[in-house]
């Protein structure tokens, strides 16, 4: 009876460990699969005619005389086309930019839409009569809600009903790209991302593919939009063209798919604009390196969370643990979650919310809260002598810390309210608290280090969790430091303010771990020698 009872916790623990290893293995396989796809993306094999496999040659290899025409219309393929730009002759390997004024029809001015249809066709021939023409339709307008005034406070005049509805805005840029590289594809190994944009035509016994045309949506920014009113007659349009290689074409296709996926996940257009600036201003190899770093951070965070939950489940005594640090970390995570709730998407909120739930669970664990649902009471368990000594040291360190943190946070909040524009008082409160968390978040570990110094021990801490999070934080701080010198500030100013905030205390913990572990070994060896002498 006894062995079977004792084996149940071990079996449940082994099941949890196996599930965690399975999830980690699946994630590693996914990363390796992504790396393999990137390798195939960077190295597309051309068709080998010596093996007599069916090949698809480029229509541009024969150097036909082409023309580029840009039309505007209300509905593609179902309305009148109005010529806006004509390039004859058109060189696929060239680069140009044209400034034109587009006349807006009445339907567009009445909060309607307008399309641009780009044609690549034979010179001197109408695109509607050319059997080998290629075209691409793109919106020149988009619907967005009018931005809220920066200084608007709660209780001011409410906006009119019209301002709450999305309004048609003008896109002043139209970026045209086309694959100008003479590349011969293998019919069997045709990439799926290229197949979507490819039209194949038969030229005798040989198959040829027509030019691969693409409208670059990544240059579109919300800040460049122009509102269309009923009195707007003409608006400027910048039409640009650039010939790109096969690698560049696939690169832009994948990036536009990423932006589309982010929009489906609920990212706002402002957040997508920041991501676009990072993607456009970075080269391909830097983006691959960023993806690998992100994967490494995810693995470290997963392992840290798994070991953290496992160690706290097994913890029976809170001796040596700073309760104020656990409480501060829980409040900080909840504040950051409320801050992100206003301005980010569900994809970002899910991991932050999961971390907040874990930190709140730690608070109940460290303070020994026990609920009695029948009597609706909350009981707090008593602490032993070692825990009472830990609470005393924790209170002493927190008191010293409050002399520095509280005045700075209160003065910063008053300055923000007096001199900076805020959306509302709630936004001011959350931003002030989050700024305090970012600026003084590194101080949350100070009471724990003080307790370690008083107890001359770090055995009560989970070293594996701190190592994983230390590596994760080091990577984040290096990326934040690099973004300071980057032209595109992907990280917010608050995040840059907190650059290197955890590294100093983490290195202090490593120093304590080295010193106190050596002292513990000397004490153990001393007691062992005394026992040997007495024997």
């Amino acid at each position: 009876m006894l062995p079977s009872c004792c084996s149940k916790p071990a079996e449940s623990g082994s099941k949890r460990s196996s599930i965690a290893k399975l999830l980690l293995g699946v994630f590693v396989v996914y990363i390796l699969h992504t790396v393999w796809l990137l390798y195939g993306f960077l190295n597309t094999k051309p068709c080998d005619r010596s093996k007599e496999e069916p090949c698809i040659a480029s229509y541009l290899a024969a150097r036909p005389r082409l023309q580029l025409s840009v039309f505007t219309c209300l509905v593609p393929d179902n309305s009148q086309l109005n010529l806006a730009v004509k390039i004859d002759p058109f060189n696929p390997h060239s680069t140009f930019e044209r400034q034109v004024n587009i006349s807006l029809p009445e339907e567009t001015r009445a909060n309607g839409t307008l399309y641009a249809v780009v044609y690549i066709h034979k010179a001197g021939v109408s695109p509607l009569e050319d059997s080998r023409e290629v075209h691409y339709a793109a919106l020149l307008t988009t619907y967005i809600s009018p931005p809220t005034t920066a200084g608007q406070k709660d209780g001011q005049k409410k906006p009119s009903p019209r301002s709450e509805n999305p309004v048609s805005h003008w896109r002043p840029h139209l970026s045209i790209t086309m694959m100008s590289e003479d590349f011969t594809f293998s019919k069997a190994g045709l990439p799926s991302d290229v197949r979507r944009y490819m039209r194949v035509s038969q030229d005798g016994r040989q198959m040829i593919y027509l030019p691969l045309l693409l409208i670059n949506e990544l240059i579109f920014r919300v800040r460049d939009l122009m509102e269309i009113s009923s009195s707007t007659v003409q608006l400027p349009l910048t039409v640009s063209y650039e010939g790109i290689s096969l690698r560049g074409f696939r690169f832009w296709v994948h990036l536009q798919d990423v932006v589309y996926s982010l929009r489906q996940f609920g990212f706002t257009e402002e957040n997508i604009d920041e991501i676009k600036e990072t993607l456009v201003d970075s080269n391909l190899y830097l983006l691959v390196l960023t993806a690998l770093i992100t994967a490494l951070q995810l693995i470290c965070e997963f392992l840290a969370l798994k070991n953290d939950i496992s160690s706290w489940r097994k913890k029976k005594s809170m001796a040596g643990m700073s309760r104020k640090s656990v409480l501060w970390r829980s409040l900080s995570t909840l504040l950051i979650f409320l801050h992100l709730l206003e301005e980010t998407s569900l994809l970002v909120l899910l991991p932050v919310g999961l971390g907040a739930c874990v930190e709140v669970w730690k608070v109940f664990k460290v303070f020994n809260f026990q609920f009695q649902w029948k009597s609706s009471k909350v009981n707090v368990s008593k602490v032993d002598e070692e825990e009472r000594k830990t609470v005393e040291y924790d209170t002493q360190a927190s008191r010293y810390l409050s002399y520095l943190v509280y005045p700075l946070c209160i003065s910063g909040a008053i300055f923000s309210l007096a001199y900076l524009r805020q959306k509302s008082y709630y936004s001011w409160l959350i931003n002030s608290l989050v700024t305090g968390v970012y600026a003084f978040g590194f101080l949350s570990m100070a009471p724990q280090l003080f307790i370690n110094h008083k107890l001359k021990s770090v055995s009560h801490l989970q070293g594996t969790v701190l190592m994983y999070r230390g590596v994760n934080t080091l990577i984040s701080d290096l990326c934040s430091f690099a973004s300071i010198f980057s032209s595109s500030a992907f990280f917010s100013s608050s995040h840059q303010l907190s650059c290197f905030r955890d590294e100093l205390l983490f290195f202090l913990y490593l120093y304590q771990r080295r010193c106190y572990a050596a002292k513990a070994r000397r004490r153990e060896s001393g007691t062992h020698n005394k026992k040997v002498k007495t024997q």
Side-chain angles (χ1 to χ4, degrees):
M1 181 71 68
L2 183 60
S4 62
C5 294
C6 295
S7 62
K8 287 183 180 180
E11 290 178 359
S12 61
S14 61
K15 287 182 180 179
R16 287 193 296 268
S17 177
S18 61
I19 292 175
K21 291 180 180 179
L22 178 62
L23 293 176
L24 181 61
V26 170
F27 184 78
V28 171
V29 170
Y30 172 76
I31 295 299
L32 294 177
H33 177 68
T34 304
V35 172
W36 174 254
L37 290 180
L38 287 174
Y39 175 77
F41 165 69
L42 295 174
N43 298 275
T44 306
K45 293 183 179 180
C47 183
D48 190 0
R49 298 182 182 273
S50 62
K51 296 182 180 180
E52 297 183 357
E53 57 180 341
C55 300
I56 308 176
S58 174
Y59 174 67
L60 301 177
R63 300 186 181 278
R65 189 169 178 269
L66 299 175
Q67 176 180 329
L68 185 146
S69 302
V70 180
F71 297 88
T72 60
C73 64
L74 294 175
V75 180
D77 302 328
N78 196 22
S79 61
Q80 181 181 357
L81 298 177
N82 300 311
L83 183 63
V85 177
K86 176 182 177 181
I87 306 297
D88 184 17
F90 166 65
N91 182 10
H93 302 278
S94 64
T95 301
F96 64 83
E97 184 174 296
R98 297 287 188 274
Q99 300 280 345
V100 294
N101 290 322
I102 303 298
S103 299
L104 302 181
E106 295 183 1
E107 293 84 352
T108 304
R109 284 180 281 172
N111 206 23
T113 59
L114 191 67
Y115 284 84
V117 184
V118 181
Y119 282 92
I120 305 292
H121 57 98
K122 290 182 180 179
V125 180
S126 171
L128 302 179
E129 299 175 357
D130 186 8
S131 60
R132 291 185 174 179
E133 57 82 20
V134 291
H135 65 277
Y136 197 105
L139 271 170
L140 293 176
T141 59
T142 187
Y143 288 99
I144 63 170
S145 300
T148 307
T149 306
Q152 187 178 1
K153 306 277 186 175
D154 288 344
Q156 288 186 351
K157 184 180 178 181
K158 294 183 179 180
S160 61
R162 180 187 179 277
S163 62
E164 296 180 355
N165 298 324
V167 179
S168 182
H169 285 65
W170 179 256
R171 295 185 176 187
H173 301 287
L174 180 65
S175 178
I176 307 170
T177 57
M178 190 177 74
M179 196 192 88
S180 57
E181 179 182 353
D182 184 10
F183 190 89
T184 303
F185 290 97
S186 171
K187 184 178 180 181
L190 187 63
S192 59
D193 51 355
V194 176
R195 188 183 295 113
R196 288 184 292 165
Y197 296 87
M198 180 177 288
R199 281 186 56 199
V200 179
S201 177
Q202 196 73 27
D203 186 12
R205 299 182 59 183
Q206 184 180 10
M207 290 186 296
I208 60 173
Y209 63 91
L210 302 180
L212 300 177
L213 185 63
L214 181 67
I215 301 298
N216 186 5
E217 297 283 350
L218 296 181
I219 66 167
F220 158 67
R221 301 288 185 273
V222 175
R223 62 174 177 265
D224 297 332
L225 293 177
M226 305 166 63
E227 185 174 349
I228 301 175
S229 63
S230 58
S231 60
T232 306
V233 179
Q234 285 186 340
L235 284 175
L237 178 65
T238 302
V239 181
S240 61
Y241 169 80
E242 181 183 7
I244 57 177
S245 63
L246 172 62
R247 183 178 297 177
F249 181 84
R250 299 187 65 186
F251 177 66
W252 288 117
V253 168
H254 279 273
L255 290 187
Q256 293 191 166
D257 291 343
V258 168
V259 171
Y260 175 78
S261 300
L262 293 177
R263 191 175 285 111
Q264 297 300 312
F265 275 116
F267 277 69
T268 62
E269 291 297 334
E270 289 76 11
N271 294 335
I272 292 178
D273 277 359
E274 295 180 359
I275 298 174
K276 284 180 181 178
E277 290 178 358
T278 304
L279 295 178
V280 172
D281 296 337
S282 304
N283 57 38
L284 180 61
Y285 299 101
L286 182 59
L287 289 176
V288 173
L289 179 61
T290 304
L292 295 177
I293 290 175
T294 304
L296 178 61
Q297 283 188 303
L298 288 175
I299 293 176
C300 290
E301 188 64 29
F302 172 77
L303 292 175
L305 187 63
K306 175 223 176 227
N307 286 275
D308 197 14
I309 295 176
S310 177
S311 62
W312 276 86
R313 286 176 62 91
K314 298 176 182 177
K315 192 177 291 293
K316 301 299 182 182
S317 174
M318 295 301 149
M321 297 298 300
S322 172
R323 303 188 176 198
K324 301 294 177 61
S325 296
V326 175
L327 183 61
W328 170 261
R329 187 178 180 88
S330 174
L331 294 176
S332 302
T333 310
L334 286 175
L335 286 174
I336 293 175
F337 177 75
L338 293 176
H339 175 67
L340 295 176
L341 194 63
E342 289 189 312
E343 48 185 56
T344 191
S345 66
L346 186 63
L347 184 64
V348 180
L349 285 174
L350 283 177
V352 178
L354 179 61
C357 293
V358 173
E359 296 300 329
V360 171
W361 170 71
K362 286 183 186 178
V363 171
F364 284 90
K365 182 78 174 178
V366 78
F367 284 95
N368 292 325
F369 287 135
Q370 294 180 358
F371 288 98
Q372 293 181 358
W373 299 105
K374 295 182 179 180
S375 58
S376 300
K377 293 181 180 180
V378 179
N379 295 331
V380 181
S381 303
K382 295 182 180 181
V383 297
D384 56 16
E385 185 62 29
E386 293 184 359
E387 292 181 355
R388 187 176 294 109
K389 188 181 298 185
T390 301
V391 172
E392 180 183 349
Y393 295 148
D394 193 13
T395 305
Q396 183 180 356
S398 300
R399 184 174 66 252
Y400 295 152
L401 199 61
S402 63
Y403 297 154
L404 172 66
V405 175
Y406 292 161
L408 291 176
C409 288
I410 293 173
S411 59
I414 295 174
F415 176 83
S416 174
L417 181 63
Y419 296 100
L420 300 179
R421 292 181 176 181
Q422 305 292 336
K423 295 180 181 180
S424 62
Y425 287 109
Y426 173 77
S427 178
W428 163 76
L429 178 62
I430 294 298
N431 287 330
S432 300
L433 293 175
V434 169
T435 302
V437 168
Y438 274 126
F440 308 108
F442 67 95
L443 296 177
S444 63
M445 276 293 291
Q448 184 63 62
L449 295 177
F450 183 77
I451 294 174
N452 297 344
H453 172 69
K454 288 292 186 179
L455 297 178
K456 305 298 182 184
S457 173
V458 293
S459 60
H460 44 269
L461 297 178
Q462 184 69 15
T464 308
V465 176
L466 294 176
M467 290 298 296
Y468 283 134
R469 285 182 174 160
V471 172
N472 208 354
T473 306
L474 179 61
I475 296 173
S476 299
D477 290 344
L478 290 177
C479 295
S480 178
F481 181 74
S483 70
I484 298 176
F485 303 97
S486 177
S487 58
S488 60
F490 178 74
F491 293 95
S492 62
S493 57
S494 299
H495 190 91
Q496 291 178 353
L497 181 65
S498 64
C499 182
F500 307 117
R501 70 189 188 278
D502 294 333
E503 299 308 320
L504 177 61
L505 293 176
F506 177 69
F507 288 134
L508 287 176
Y509 161 75
L510 293 180
Y511 174 75
Q512 288 182 339
R513 182 183 178 89
R514 181 179 179 183
C515 293
Y516 300 151
K519 292 181 180 179
R521 285 195 297 269
R522 285 197 295 268
R523 285 197 299 266
E524 290 177 359
S525 61
T527 55
H528 179 69
N529 292 333
K530 289 181 180 180
K531 290 181 179 179
V532 171
K533 290 180 180 179
T534 56
Q535 291 176 356

